[in-house]
Every structure is written in structure tokens, then in C-alpha cells.
Amino acid sequence: ILLIGLAISAGYLPIEMLLVQCGKPLQQTQMRFFVLLSNVAFNLALIPPFGIQGAAFGTALSYVVGALLIHIYAKKLLNLKI
């Protein structure tokens, strides 16, 4: 389950560092904080009914949220077409 989320987000991880390298460290930190909050929220919602599978699925979903945020931030802040 975790591998699926990681596989989806893997292509975007190098782009995340571009935010820092292009002078946007605050936006990168904000994005990471939002991913952290989404991970906590997904896990709080999914662990009680699904146990360990819910934890894995919640974490995988937060990886996907991170990839979507990287895509949005790269497009808006860096004018990248990905």
C-alpha cells in the first residue's frame, strides 16, 4: 500500500527541492507542514476502522497529497510545466 503512494509521488520529489533552490523555502516548509497535517488527519480517520492497513493507506494518501501540492506550487511559483 505504501509503495503505491510512494510510486505516485516519486517523480515529484526532486521538484520539491527546486522550491528551496529558487528561494522559496517558506513555501516548501508550508507545503511539508500541510502534508504532515493531512497524514495525521488520514491516520486518525482510517486507523480506527481499518487498523494497520488504514495507517498504510492514510500515509500513502498523504504522499499523493504531497505530489499534488508540489505540482501546484511548481506551476504557480516556478512557472514549471510538469
Side-chain angles (χ1 to χ4, degrees):
I1 295 174
L2 285 174
L3 256 172
I4 294 168
L6 190 57
I8 292 170
S9 67
Y12 289 96
L13 294 177
I15 298 167
E16 180 183 355
M17 287 288 100
L18 285 177
L19 290 171
V20 175
Q21 294 170 353
C22 292
K24 307 283 186 193
L26 178 64
Q27 288 80 4
Q28 192 260 356
T29 302
Q30 290 171 339
M31 183 190 64
R32 281 285 116 205
F33 184 70
F34 186 75
V35 171
L36 170 78
L37 291 179
S38 70
N39 190 14
V40 170
F42 288 140
N43 282 320
L44 286 174
L46 295 173
I47 289 174
F50 301 110
I52 194 77
Q53 286 88 6
F57 191 66
T59 300
L61 281 176
S62 71
Y63 288 159
V64 174
V65 166
L68 291 172
L69 286 174
I70 291 169
H71 182 84
I72 292 166
Y73 274 56
K75 201 173 200 179
K76 283 187 175 183
L77 298 173
L78 305 176
N79 203 22
L80 292 178
K81 295 176 184 172
I82 48 174

